[in-house]
Amino acid sequence: RRRLCWGAGARGAGDPPCCATRMSVPPPAKKAKGEDGAPVQDDEIKSRDFTAKQEEERGILHFRQVHNDGTPESLRWLCELKEIFGTQLPSMPKEYIVRLVFDKNHKSVCAIKNIGGVQQAVGGICYRPYYKERLGEIAFCAIKTDQQVRGYGTRLMNQTKHFACTVDKLDHFVTYADNYAIGYFKKQGFHMQI
């Protein structure tokens, strides 16, 4: 696993050492690199979440920030996210997933899709905000296998950044990613410089 950081803008003197940049809302488009290392064109970045944006506009897909506040609705979404993380991250101990997802210090952003008239979680990001440091640490990020390659991951990350900036007042994200996830996080504007 490797540590990756995300932000947008220039580093200030008081910034934590884990990230070289700051977030802003909305996050500016970064010059991401494709899997071959070549710069990705702006229209390619925009098209990554085009399908998800269309579904969001039609009311099929929406995003919600949830945490363990004890309400039945929040617990329902957290249970669904626990199942998604457990399935999509098989090497992660189930007890660890349960502990973090339901921890009152962690928050999650849930991608919710209307499938056959029923609202279902199709993915999510679980993170812990450190308010004093204005930093969020992403613990889990996953989309159901049958819902992948539709731009949901990109849209989910954009929504998570938006919630983190506007609701939690965070400036940075850090995460530890395995080798399979590094490409995704780099496409989302994360970098490996600390």
Side-chain angles (χ1 to χ4, degrees), residues 119-187:
Q119 302 260 327
Q120 295 179 19
V122 294
I125 292 177
C126 178
Y127 67 96
R128 178 169 182 175
Y130 293 91
Y131 298 106
K132 183 179 175 188
E133 294 82 3
R134 297 181 63 102
L135 171 76
E137 181 181 10
I138 295 176
F140 309 116
C141 174
I143 299 287
K144 284 184 175 181
T145 304
D146 64 342
Q147 300 295 322
Q148 291 179 4
V149 196
R150 298 178 185 194
Y152 295 166
T154 297
R155 195 78 188 129
L156 175 63
M157 183 61 73
N158 289 339
Q159 291 293 325
T160 301
K161 291 173 185 176
H162 178 75
F163 284 124
C165 287
T166 59
V167 177
D168 299 325
K169 308 298 185 210
L170 304 181
D171 291 328
H172 308 281
F173 266 126
V174 64
T175 191
Y176 290 87
D178 62 26
N179 290 333
Y180 298 107
I182 289 174
Y184 165 78
F185 282 104
K186 283 186 174 181
K187 287 178 185 177

Side-chain angles (χ1 to χ4, degrees), residues 39-132:
V40 176
Q41 300 303 316
D42 286 339
D43 56 342
E44 186 178 340
I45 292 171
K46 291 176 189 170
S47 69
R48 274 197 197 122
D49 67 350
F50 181 73
T51 302
K53 279 184 182 178
Q54 283 186 322
E55 290 185 4
E56 205 172 354
E57 289 169 3
R58 294 192 325 245
I60 297 170
L61 180 70
H62 69 277
F63 298 86
R64 178 179 177 164
Q65 187 181 50
V66 294
H67 63 282
N68 188 357
D69 59 6
T71 63
E73 188 172 7
S74 292
L75 294 175
R76 174 208 172 178
W77 297 122
L78 292 174
C79 283
E80 289 193 32
L81 286 177
K82 171 194 61 103
E83 293 300 318
I84 292 169
F85 296 143
T87 302
Q88 297 302 119
L89 306 169
S91 60
M92 197 66 64
K94 305 294 184 240
E95 298 80 16
Y96 180 66
I97 292 171
V98 169
R99 185 165 40 111
L100 293 189
V101 168
F102 289 98
D103 180 62
K104 294 187 186 248
N105 293 315
H106 281 74
K107 292 188 173 188
S108 295
V109 176
C110 187
I112 302 168
K113 186 173 181 180
N114 187 337
I115 301 173
V118 178
Q119 302 260 327
Q120 295 179 19
V122 294
I125 292 177
C126 178
Y127 67 96
R128 178 169 182 175
Y130 293 91
Y131 298 106
K132 183 179 175 188

